[in-house]
């Protein structure tokens, strides 16, 4: 049937068309996800309850959703700022792990005066995260080494380092499990008292606002768009191409590192082998669906936080596996991406 | 002009009495209302190598694309081997025994040679597996004497090897009429010789070959007859090569009615741009620069004519600062810019209009306002470090849209949505600002309609009258001649000669274009 069909790029897809495509994609994605979950044993009637009511409409659920969303916002932003200059940061988990390791070192070692302990963890985590992406960045700028491979592999190295520490010097002396001892109070974000939510939300809010301003209201966003869309023209026009790429990519690493600190100082209060898992995939999902725009990153991360919250409930009550939750994310992502594709291209068949 | 329209003699015909291999009569073809072929004709005999020469844009490729079924002609008659045939697709042309090797090769880089050829064989072929294809290719390559290794991946092949793959493919598809579009432009001297001898052999075996070229020595050394095209017309149809000399070819190619008029400089200004000894090693596919020199004065247009691919792109890239020369210096107004960044070059007053607007000039995805502000923001013209004045950008864009009469534009619209002429106006509006001292314009009216062309040329004229200097690099001789005060010709990466406009003759320019000094 598609023996002779062509994809024709639409000239200027209107707001209505892209909106409709986006909504259509979301609907299909949710429908397929619902079908999958029902097949896996979740009663259809419980879906709305778990995914909407228990995530946004109850006080407990909402605080859960917000708490889960905090690191998602940070990794989503990390992916988004690099994406703006067409740098595919596939090493987000690696930078996140190293940020967490740096913060753990400060927390366990009691480095610095107590009032400055948490700020020091945050700063050091960000710096180390940025340092971990500096190598792939340098390799790319200097030799054209593909960053997809280099960041991904450095991610694995970071995880091995974490394991090395957890099975070695940082093993919990009390239980002998490969997790660190619990952090002292000074190394934690204070609890707000509303569910699990901690004051890290102020930090995440401030970071999002700052990035939103940076990318929308200063030249940085302007340079980034020119560099991202047409690097040759940006060069010829005399824009600071190298500085723009370097700045935003390092920022991406720093945000990932910060996400690592936020997780262990906010909710886990210790470093373990599971705190950073799955964030790479979520980061890409969030940044893609948000089209690399900070404000939309916030929105999408909240939605994804809800999926995680609901997922946790489903895991407990209906013994749904972790993989199902990833599958739901993936299904929604793929269907929206397909919808985006058809808002950009029209299918035409010659008569 | 009519008296120069020779008719084909009997020479070059190995098989007298047989119908011509290919005959095109009165072919018209327009692109978007712009005529590319006007009553063009061409006749090819079996057993000959037939050269088609003409300036860039003369319509050579278009005419052959019509013959090969890539384009449908708007009017005219076509026969292949005596039978009326107007192929409506390359496949139909192939079925009729005609195959074309295009200027830009059409191979899948990541596939092997066998896989590529298998891809074009289609469903009816008896060859269905890569192994069968490899055997067929090896047999064909041996038969015609072209070395081709079926097992290699195309991405690893040199340009000459890719070309051989294309030729073997076309022959394997059953072509007895072979059209080669500027095959030697991408080859070294040695490789070109090999190819041309091969082509001769093929013709002697009874094939018919069309060879599009710019080089007279290839015509004289390897072809039987020559057809010359200019502005979409055939100005000489199939004259025996032995009867024609280089001067005449040059004159017919360029046209005698060259609108060359004295264009004295009102006031020859100081040297604004001086380039000396510019040298760059050729990269894998390109042409390098070879100790290139010129000086450009305030208030003048220096036109650089030349067949495309003789180093024009490389020169512009070096001037822009996108690539670095190996040797030589670039000075602007006394300042040494040889190693300066694009930003510093712009600051010194250098402005560029590149030949490909959307490759190094504009960003498709950005709005017109953003494109206009592209070179300004870094200078702090739209707000400081902590704020980008987008409103100011929009206002400036509105003003530019008005004063340059950019149609179909609003500040917020994406540049990609503009027509060619209007995109070029956006570029002009950005580059022709108050700080401009030297304008480098590369084929500034390529692909534009009459009106837009005039607009662009007037803008350049005005800029120069205002005291700027302009380096006009163009493959369109008309453009060079209609604007320049001095004309230089570029060949193989250096300036082959330079004259004041009043002293330019068709013979001089033709000879330099063809690579004869
Ligand atoms: N696909 C096309 N669309 C629009 N214009 C074209 C196209 N192909 C060729 N032209 C125009 O037709 C004219 C002849 O071009 P071409 O046949 O490529 O010249 P040549 O091969 O002699 O250099 C030129 O003005 C060119 O811009
Ligand atoms: Mg051509």
């Amino acid at each position: 049937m598609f023996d002779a069909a062509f994809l024709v790029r639409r000239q200027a897809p209107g707001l209505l068309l892209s909106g409709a495509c986006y909504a259509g994609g979301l609907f299909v994605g949710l429908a397929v996800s619902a079908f999958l979950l029902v097949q896996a044993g979740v009663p259809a009637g419980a879906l709305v309850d778990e995914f909407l009511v228990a995530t946004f409409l109850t006080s407990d659920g909402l605080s859960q959703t917000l708490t889960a969303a905090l690191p998602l916002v940070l990794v989503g932003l990390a992916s988004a700022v690099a994406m703006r200059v067409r740098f595919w940061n596939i090493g987000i988990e690696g930078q996140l792990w190293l940020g967490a390791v740096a913060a753990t070192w400060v927390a366990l070692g009691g480095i610095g005066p107590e009032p400055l302990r948490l700020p020091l963890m945050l700063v050091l985590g960000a710096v180390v995260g940025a340092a971990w992406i500096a190598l792939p960045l340098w390799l790319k700028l200097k030799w054209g080494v593909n960053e997809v491979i280099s960041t991904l592999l450095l991610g694995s190295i970071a995880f091995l380092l974490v394991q090395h520490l957890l099975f070695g010097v940082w093993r919990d002396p009390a239980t002998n499990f490969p997790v660190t001892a619990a952090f002292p109070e000074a190394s934690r974000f204070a609890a707000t008292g509303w569910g699990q939510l901690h004051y890290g939300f102020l930090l995440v809010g401030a970071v999002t606002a700052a990035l939103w301003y940076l990318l929308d209201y200063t030249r940085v966003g302007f340079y980034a768009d020119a560099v991202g869309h047409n690097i040759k023209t940006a060069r010829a026009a005399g824009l600071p191409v190298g500085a723009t790429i370097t700045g935003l990519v390092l920022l991406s690493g720093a945000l990932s590192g910060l996400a690592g600190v936020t997780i262990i100082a906010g909710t886990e209060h210790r470093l373990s082998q599971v705190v950073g898992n799955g964030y790479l995939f979520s980061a890409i999902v969030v940044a893609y669906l948000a089209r690399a725009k900070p404000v939309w990153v916030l929105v999408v991360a909240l939605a994804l936080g809800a999926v995680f919250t609901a997922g946790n409930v489903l895991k407990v009550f209906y013994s749904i596996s972790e993989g199902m939750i990833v599958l739901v994310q993936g299904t929604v992502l793929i269907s929206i991406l397909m919808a985006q594709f058809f808002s950009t291209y029209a299918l035409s068949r010659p008569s | 002009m009519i008296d120069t329209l020779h008719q084909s003699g009997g020479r070059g015909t190995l098989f007298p009495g047989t119908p011509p291999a290919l005959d095109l009569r009165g072919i018209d073809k327009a692109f978007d209302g712009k005529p590319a072929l006007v009553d063009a004709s061409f006749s090819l005999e079996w057993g000959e190598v037939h050269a088609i020469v003409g300036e860039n844009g003369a319509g050579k490729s278009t005419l052959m694309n019509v013959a090969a079924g890539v384009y449908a002609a708007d009017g005219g008659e076509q026969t292949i081997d005596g039978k009326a045939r107007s192929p409506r697709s390359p496949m139909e042309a192939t079925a009729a025994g005609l195959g074309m090797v295009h200027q830009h090769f059409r191979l899948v880089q990541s596939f092997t040679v066998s896989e590529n050829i298998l891809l074009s064989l289609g469903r009816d072929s008896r060859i269905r597996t890569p192994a069968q294809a490899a055997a067929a290719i090896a047999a064909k390559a041996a038969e015609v004497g072209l070395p081709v290794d079926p097992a290699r991946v195309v991405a690893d092949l040199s340009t000459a090897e890719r070309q051989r793959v294309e030729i073997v493919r076309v022959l394997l598809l059953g072509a007895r009429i072979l059209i080669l579009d500027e095959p030697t432009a991408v080859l070294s001297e040695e490789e070109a010789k090999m190819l041309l001898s091969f082509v001769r052999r093929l013709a002697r075996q009874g094939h018919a070959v069309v060879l599009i070229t710019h080089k007279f020595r290839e015509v004289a050394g390897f072809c039987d007859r020559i057809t010359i095209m200019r502005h979409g017309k055939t100005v000489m149809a199939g004259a025996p090569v032995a009867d024609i000399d280089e001067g005449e070819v040059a004159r017919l190619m360029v046209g005698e009615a060259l609108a060359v008029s004295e264009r004295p400089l009102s006031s020859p200004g100081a040297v604004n741009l001086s380039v000396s000894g510019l040298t760059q090693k050729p990269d894998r596919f390109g042409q390098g620069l070879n100790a290139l020199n010129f000086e450009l004065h305030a208030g003048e247009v220096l036109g650089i004519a030349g067949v495309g691919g003789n180093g024009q792109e490389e020169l512009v890239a070096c001037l822009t600062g996108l690539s670095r020369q190996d040797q030589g210096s670039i000075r602007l107004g006394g300042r040494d810019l040889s190693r300066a960044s694009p930003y510093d070059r712009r600051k010194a007053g250098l402005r560029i209009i590149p030949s490909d607007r959307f490759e190094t000039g504009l960003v498709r995805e950005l709005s017109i306002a953003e494109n206009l502000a592209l070179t300004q923001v870094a200078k702090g013209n739209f707000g400081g470090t902590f704020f980008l004045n987008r409103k100011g950008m929009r206002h400036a864009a509105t003003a530019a849209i008005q004063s340059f009469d950019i149609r179909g534009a609003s500040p917020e619209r994406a540049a990609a949505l503009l027509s060619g002429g209007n995109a070029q106006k956006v570029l002009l509006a950005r580059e022709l600002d108050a700080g401009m001292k030297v304008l480098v314009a590369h084929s500034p009216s390529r692909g534009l309609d009459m009106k837009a062309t005039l607009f662009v040329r007037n803008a350049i004229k005005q800029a120069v009258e205002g005291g700027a200097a302009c380096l006009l690099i163009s493959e369109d001789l008309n453009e060079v001649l209609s604007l320049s005060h001095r004309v230089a010709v570029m060949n193989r990466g250096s300036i082959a000669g330079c004259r004041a406009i009043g002293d330019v003759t068709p013979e001089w320019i033709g000879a330099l274009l063809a690579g004869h000094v």
Side-chain angles (χ1 to χ4, degrees):
Chain A
M1 139 181 174
F2 289 123
D3 237 18
F6 298 97
L7 287 170
V8 182
R9 202 181 169 92
R10 293 186 205 270
Q11 278 295 303
L15 214 59
L16 199 67
L17 181 69
S18 3
C21 281
Y22 210 86
L26 185 65
F27 179 77
V28 171
L30 290 177
V32 173
S33 301
F35 174 77
L36 287 171
L37 288 170
V38 169
Q39 287 304 306
V42 181
L47 281 176
V48 173
D49 232 24
E50 298 299 354
F51 275 94
L52 193 65
V53 179
T55 51
F56 286 114
L57 301 181
T58 64
S59 167
D60 264 4
L62 187 58
S63 98
Q64 273 293 331
T65 299
L66 285 175
T67 311
L70 294 182
L72 289 173
V73 174
L74 290 176
V75 293
L77 289 172
S79 182
V81 292
M83 211 178 259
R84 287 285 275 262
V85 286
R86 295 290 183 280
F87 186 99
W88 309 112
N89 182 1
I90 310 298
I92 284 181
E93 276 179 24
Q95 297 132 31
L96 184 151
W97 279 122
L98 277 204
V101 165
T104 305
W105 175 72
V106 172
L108 294 182
I111 314 283
E114 280 206 353
L116 288 182
R117 187 77 45 83
L118 188 59
L120 184 62
M121 286 166 69
L122 292 167
V123 171
L124 199 64
V127 168
V128 171
W132 201 241
I133 204 173
L135 180 65
L137 171 67
W138 182 77
L139 287 173
K140 173 168 177 147
L141 292 181
K142 181 88 182 163
W143 306 106
V145 175
N146 188 330
E147 75 275 17
V148 172
I149 308 295
S150 57
T151 53
L152 181 68
L153 294 182
L154 276 179
S156 304
I157 294 176
F159 185 61
L160 287 174
L161 180 70
V162 168
Q163 285 192 319
H164 171 75
L165 292 168
L166 289 180
F167 283 96
V169 288
W170 281 352
R171 195 192 279 265
D172 188 357
T175 62
N176 226 12
F177 283 140
V179 296
T180 65
F183 292 173
E185 215 49 53
S187 303
R188 303 180 182 187
F189 275 114
T192 58
W194 179 30
Q196 274 216 310
L197 193 67
H198 52 84
Y199 277 106
F201 83 90
L202 292 178
L203 174 78
V204 172
V207 166
T208 310
L211 280 181
W212 165 65
Y213 186 82
L214 183 78
L215 292 180
D216 277 13
Y217 292 96
T218 73
R219 356 170 140 173
V220 175
F222 182 76
Y223 292 162
D225 287 341
V227 170
H229 287 304
N230 186 341
I231 192 166
K232 265 176 119 179
T233 294
R235 272 215 182 94
L239 301 191
V241 173
T244 305
I245 295 177
T246 305
L248 287 178
V249 170
L250 290 181
L251 184 59
S252 170
L255 287 164
S256 310
L258 211 51
V261 186
T262 307
I263 296 168
I264 57 171
T267 46
E268 300 293 324
H269 303 145
R270 56 166 30 119
L271 183 63
S272 75
Q273 285 186 81
V274 295
V275 296
N277 286 339
Y279 278 105
L280 167 63
F281 187 57
S282 304
I284 296 173
V285 172
V286 171
Y288 238 101
L289 294 186
R291 298 188 168 200
K293 298 248 188 271
V295 176
W296 284 104
V297 165
L298 197 64
V299 174
V300 179
L302 279 173
L304 203 57
V307 172
F308 281 177
T309 306
N312 282 333
V313 176
L314 295 185
K315 267 195 279 189
V316 174
F317 285 101
Y318 305 101
S319 55
I320 296 299
S321 75
E322 178 76 35
M324 272 314 279
I325 307 306
V326 180
L327 189 61
V328 167
Q329 276 186 67
T331 309
V332 173
L333 174 70
I334 292 282
S335 58
I336 290 187
L337 287 186
M338 287 197 302
Q340 279 180 3
F341 179 82
F342 283 106
S343 78
T344 327
Y345 292 93
L347 198 62
S348 127
R349 304 184 59 192
S351 42
Chain B
M1 216 74 16
I2 302 296
D3 58 337
T4 60
L5 207 135
H6 299 233
Q7 276 309 310
S8 56
R11 219 178 142 275
T13 311
L14 281 186
F15 310 101
T18 52
L22 173 68
D23 197 38
L24 306 169
R25 276 172 203 280
I27 304 291
D28 294 319
K29 173 74 189 170
F31 292 107
D32 308 322
K34 205 180 136 196
L37 293 175
V38 186
D39 193 22
S41 53
F42 178 71
S43 179
L44 175 71
E45 302 289 341
W46 290 113
E48 74 165 341
V49 180
H50 195 137
I52 302 185
V53 301
E55 267 193 82
N56 277 304
K60 308 178 295 289
S61 300
T62 306
L63 185 62
M64 288 303 108
N65 275 318
V66 166
V70 178
Y71 298 143
D74 299 338
E77 289 163 30
Q78 295 174 243
T79 70
I80 295 178
D81 201 14
K83 291 182 272 295
R85 276 240 169 90
S86 308
R88 279 173 307 155
S89 72
M91 278 79 88
E92 283 188 30
T94 308
L98 184 149
M100 179 160 174
V101 174
H102 294 270
Q103 251 168 306
H104 304 286
F105 302 151
R106 297 170 181 197
L107 297 168
V108 182
Q109 301 263 332
S110 53
F111 281 9
T112 63
V113 171
S114 315
E115 288 164 343
N116 263 289
I117 290 184
L118 202 55
L119 201 60
S120 52
L121 283 173
R123 294 179 186 174
D124 326 318
S125 171
R126 269 175 294 123
I127 301 171
R128 291 191 158 257
T129 68
Q132 290 169 339
I137 294 161
K140 186 50 109 180
E143 177 194 330
V144 298
L146 268 194
V148 166
D149 180 354
R152 288 182 61 196
V153 172
V154 168
D156 299 337
L157 300 181
S158 73
T159 314
E161 289 171 313
R162 289 175 201 208
Q163 189 175 58
R164 294 206 289 268
V165 173
E166 288 271 21
I167 293 173
V168 166
R169 161 159 88 179
V170 164
L171 293 176
L172 207 54
L173 289 171
R176 295 192 55 233
I177 302 170
L178 182 64
I179 300 173
L180 303 174
D181 195 351
E182 298 197 30
T184 57
V186 293
L187 299 182
S188 72
E189 202 111 8
E190 259 331 284
E191 293 168 335
K193 253 193 212 128
M194 251 187 72
L195 175 75
L196 292 166
S197 328
F198 158 76
V199 156
R200 279 232 61 85
R201 267 201 322 275
L202 207 61
R204 289 294 160 262
Q205 290 162 8
H207 286 71
V209 181
V210 179
L211 183 79
I212 301 183
T213 179
H214 287 288
K215 295 169 190 140
F216 187 75
R217 53 174 188 272
E218 293 175 358
V219 178
F222 297 90
C223 300
D224 300 299
R225 291 194 299 155
I226 177 170
T227 289
I228 304 179
M229 297 191 65
R230 185 170 74 237
H231 295 331
K233 295 194 186 75
T234 309
V235 291
M236 153 119 53
V241 166
D243 297 358
I244 190 164
D245 69 34
E246 185 172 358
E248 197 178 355
V249 172
R251 215 180 45 251
L252 285 170
M253 250 172 82
V254 173
E256 7 219 350
L258 276 184
V260 177
S261 54
E262 282 291 338
R263 197 172 298 125
L265 278 177
S266 40
S267 56
V271 176
N272 251 5
L273 179 71
S274 125
V275 166
S276 71
L278 211 60
T279 301
Q280 193 181 39
K281 276 205 287 295
D283 69 4
R284 216 144 79 85
F285 301 112
Q287 159 78 48
L289 295 175
N290 203 347
L292 187 133
N293 299 307
F294 65 83
E295 277 187 343
L296 183 60
H297 301 260
E300 79 164 344
V301 177
L302 170 60
I304 297 195
V307 175
N310 271 295
Q312 289 96 331
E313 294 288 346
E314 289 79 1
L315 173 61
V316 174
C318 272
L319 290 174
T320 315
L322 284 178
S323 71
R324 185 72 38 97
Q325 68 276 10
D326 299 323
Q327 277 166 41
S329 71
I330 300 166
R331 303 180 69 83
L332 196 156
R335 271 191 63 191
D336 187 2
L337 293 182
S338 310
R339 309 245 157 246
S341 68
Y343 180 79
D344 288 331
R345 290 172 197 229
R346 289 194 162 271
K347 224 167 114 192
L350 186 67
R351 300 288 183 271
I352 313 278
I353 297 180
S355 61
D356 187 337
R357 289 180 278 276
F358 285 112
E359 191 166 322
T360 53
L362 301 173
V363 183
R364 273 174 211 284
E365 293 85 352
L366 293 189
S367 71
I368 291 165
E370 288 170 318
N371 271 293
L372 284 167
L374 208 57
T375 58
Q376 304 289 320
V377 170
K379 288 195 266 175
N381 284 358
F382 290 104
T385 313
F386 297 108
F387 183 69
L388 181 66
N389 184 0
R390 288 194 179 265
K391 211 166 149 195
M393 274 164 51
R394 278 196 295 276
H395 280 309
T398 310
I401 288 169
Q402 279 217 335
S403 67
F404 277 80
D405 189 27
I406 303 170
R407 304 285 169 85
S410 72
E412 309 289 355
R413 238 169 119 77
L417 300 176
L418 290 170
S419 70
N422 287 304
Q424 192 72 331
K425 284 180 181 177
V426 171
L427 204 50
L428 284 170
R430 188 181 79 201
E431 299 295 301
L432 302 184
D433 62 356
M436 172 188 58
K437 293 210 180 75
V438 172
L439 178 70
V440 174
H442 188 186
S443 298
S445 58
R446 179 187 283 175
L448 304 188
D449 61 25
M450 266 315 250
K451 222 172 134 208
T453 301
L454 272 180
F455 185 95
V456 169
R457 294 188 182 169
N458 273 330
I460 291 177
K461 262 185 211 153
Q462 274 176 20
V464 170
E465 276 158 19
C470 173
L471 184 71
L472 173 68
I473 301 167
S474 178
E475 287 143 37
D476 178 353
L477 209 47
N478 256 321
E479 180 164 67
V480 169
L481 295 175
S482 68
L483 284 172
S484 309
H485 300 99
R486 287 187 298 142
V487 176
V489 179
M490 199 165 172
N491 200 301
R492 292 189 172 246
S494 58
I495 301 288
C498 181
R499 281 186 181 182
I501 187 79
D503 303 330
V504 170
T505 63
E507 286 83 0
W508 176 76
I509 243 181
L512 292 184
L513 284 178
H516 283 234
V517 188

